[in-house]
Amino acid sequence: MTTTWRRRRSPGRGLGRWVLALCCAAVSSVSAAAEEGAAAAIADLRREAVALEHGTGVPRDTEGAIALYCRAARLGDAASAFDLGWIYANARGVARDDELAAGFFRVAAAAGIAQAENMLRVLGETPAALPECLVEPAPARSETETKASAPPTA
């Protein structure tokens, strides 16, 4: 008679997998919530920017609309980048600036907006600089970092 020995499972052995699965689900939920929050923020910014650009229910304010479109574009909204390009390409409340318009159209085209590609062809060859409002500002340096990087005084 042969006896087969089985290894007994410890009570906590499956616990690690369960905790890992729970953590993955939590991270996924947080990511989804963050994306929903960003989408809602973009929608709010766009709604207010369109109202300011066209003067719908509020006094027309092109500069205010541009600021809001820029914030939405920094959050990843390609339609806002396109709208900024349109404003500058067609001098809608600002001086015409083909270079700046092309920069915004490039961002929108890279995100898949076909009309932005068409507008780039219309504007022709322009420098490929990223518009300033889409560049994230450098984080402010603390006073101790500033002093530490300063050259020693004699």
Side-chain angles (χ1 to χ4, degrees):
M1 180 169 164
T2 307
T3 306
T4 306
W5 291 92
R6 285 192 185 179
R7 184 172 173 204
R8 291 186 79 202
R9 290 182 85 165
S10 65
R13 185 166 182 206
L15 185 61
R17 289 186 185 131
W18 183 82
V19 169
L20 180 61
L22 185 61
C23 288
C24 288
V27 168
S28 175
S29 296
V30 168
S31 295
E35 287 175 16
E36 287 177 21
I42 288 170
D44 290 344
L45 289 168
R46 281 194 55 74
R47 188 174 21 262
E48 194 173 338
V50 168
L52 288 172
E53 179 186 2
H54 299 287
T56 308
V58 295
R60 179 177 267 170
D61 178 8
T62 304
E63 293 300 320
I66 289 171
L68 293 173
Y69 280 137
C70 279
R71 286 177 53 196
R74 266 197 314 268
L75 290 174
D77 184 45
S80 291
F82 179 86
D83 290 339
L84 285 163
W86 188 261
I87 287 171
Y88 284 103
N90 293 291
R92 294 187 47 87
V94 295
R96 182 177 174 144
D97 188 337
D98 288 349
E99 184 178 331
L100 192 54
F104 288 118
F105 286 138
R106 271 191 201 86
V107 171
I113 296 182
Q115 185 60 30
E117 293 176 20
N118 296 339
M119 290 303 297
L120 284 169
R121 281 193 291 279
V122 168
L123 291 174
E125 224 21 71
T126 56
L130 186 65
E132 187 177 315
C133 84
L134 297 183
V135 177
E136 288 291 328
R141 297 176 71 180
S142 69
E143 187 176 321
T144 55
E145 288 176 328
T146 305
K147 286 181 183 177
S149 65
T153 55

